[in-house]
Amino acid sequence: MATTDRKATTLALAHALSAAERGLAVIPLSRTKLPALRSPHRDDPDPTAPVCHGACGRFGHGVYDATTDPRRIRELFAAAPWATGYGIACGLHPHHLIGIDLDTKSGTDSSAALRELALRHLFTIPATVVVLTPSGGRHLWLSGPPDVVVPNSASRLAPGIDVRGAGGYLVGPGSRTDHGVYSTAPGTARLPPAPCPPALLRLLTPPPRPRHTTPSSAGRHGQGLVQFVLAAHEGQRNTRLFWAACRAYENGFGPDLAPALLDAAIRTGLTPREARSTLASAARMTAQRP
């Protein structure tokens, strides 16, 4: 390993341990911003087997490996000496972190879109941790209530605004990627994640499923969602499937549309195991709360 990579790994571990001291569960990331450790089940012969989220005791389960235990963190980084960054799991105790990702790659003004949402729905973003991305974007850290599950989403709030919630993670400040280094905005590094404004939280959580839908409307809407998945390019497939499945479940016909979404996802290149796992995540995230 090159000296610069060893230094980046050492720094990433130090930043990860510091984050863990603040109650933030972490995992090692590679330069691509993906979890550094591959799944130990990637070569399992049975694609229909239940998805393991770490019950096997081995590393490589992505965000489900996230921990605040310093010994465990060191073990994770020792198993991934190529890691140059770390991810912070969202939705976990004690902060129940929600990440608002203001992206710049889409060519839209995501900051202006957030300001417009704030004006329209009468909320303000409180002083909180702000992480600056190498591409010029920003991650806003907010804290959610323990009894509310905020799903991950891409451009659901507005174009260029992605949300990281339960089952997702944020690239931690100090991480080095292929595109540069993530850093905290001046004056925000030691702030706690501020409570999410109630009006914004309502926008982040899916509406209750309608009890009844007509077959014709579900069919038209469902066909559009299937076509949305079929149009996915590499790098978009899982995100598009999750988005489409969430919309289907929110509108009450997720179980009926799931086989068609599964077939569409497999045709785009996802494995049956990956597609089923994503559909299951969408069903959990959009489940109606009591």
Side-chain angles (χ1 to χ4, degrees), residues 9-276:
T9 300
T10 301
L11 287 172
L13 173 58
H15 284 296
L17 290 170
S18 178
E21 289 179 356
R22 301 177 65 185
L24 299 165
V26 298
I27 55 170
L29 300 181
S30 70
R31 285 183 174 273
T32 63
K33 302 187 293 185
L34 294 175
L37 293 167
R38 298 180 65 190
S39 169
H41 308 291
R42 61 186 179 276
D43 297 323
D44 285 358
D46 183 8
T48 65
V51 177
C52 178
H53 288 159
C56 67
R58 292 177 285 176
F59 295 150
H61 298 86
V63 73
Y64 298 102
D65 288 342
T67 179
T68 58
D69 180 357
R71 178 188 61 81
R72 184 79 168 174
I73 293 169
R74 290 189 175 93
E75 289 176 350
L76 283 164
F77 274 83
W82 52 87
T84 60
Y86 65 104
I88 298 173
C90 295
L92 301 182
H93 177 83
H95 299 291
H96 307 283
L97 191 64
I98 302 166
I100 307 298
D101 181 357
L102 303 178
D103 201 357
T104 59
K105 295 190 291 292
S106 61
T108 59
D109 191 339
S110 53
S111 294
L114 181 60
R115 288 194 297 269
E116 183 180 338
L117 280 173
L119 287 171
R120 188 186 314 153
H121 296 277
L122 303 178
F123 66 84
T124 58
I125 299 295
T128 191
V129 181
V130 178
V131 176
L132 307 178
T133 75
S135 63
R138 293 182 298 150
H139 294 168
L140 311 181
W141 292 13
L142 298 172
S143 178
D147 59 342
V148 174
V149 175
V150 173
N152 299 292
S153 63
S155 294
R156 180 174 178 266
L157 273 184
I161 301 180
D162 297 342
V163 177
R164 298 290 175 265
Y169 63 89
L170 291 164
V171 179
S175 296
R176 183 173 295 277
T177 71
D178 286 335
H179 300 288
V181 179
Y182 285 68
S183 61
T184 48
T188 71
R190 302 312 301 177
L191 293 175
C196 182
L200 176 57
L201 186 65
R202 286 192 290 272
L203 296 176
L204 297 176
T205 52
R209 299 183 203 171
R211 295 186 178 276
H212 301 286
T213 58
T214 64
S216 58
S217 65
R220 290 193 301 272
H221 191 184
Q223 185 58 35
L225 294 175
V226 170
Q227 291 301 318
F228 179 76
V229 173
L230 286 171
H233 301 294
E234 187 173 359
Q236 303 176 328
R237 296 174 298 201
N238 197 62
T239 299
R240 282 190 172 233
L241 174 61
F242 184 81
W243 187 92
C246 284
R247 302 295 82 74
Y249 279 105
E250 288 169 3
N251 285 281
F253 54 86
D256 293 334
L257 194 64
L261 290 174
L262 176 66
D263 179 68
I266 293 171
R267 288 168 62 184
T268 67
L270 286 181
T271 67
R273 184 187 185 88
E274 290 171 327
R276 289 191 180 94

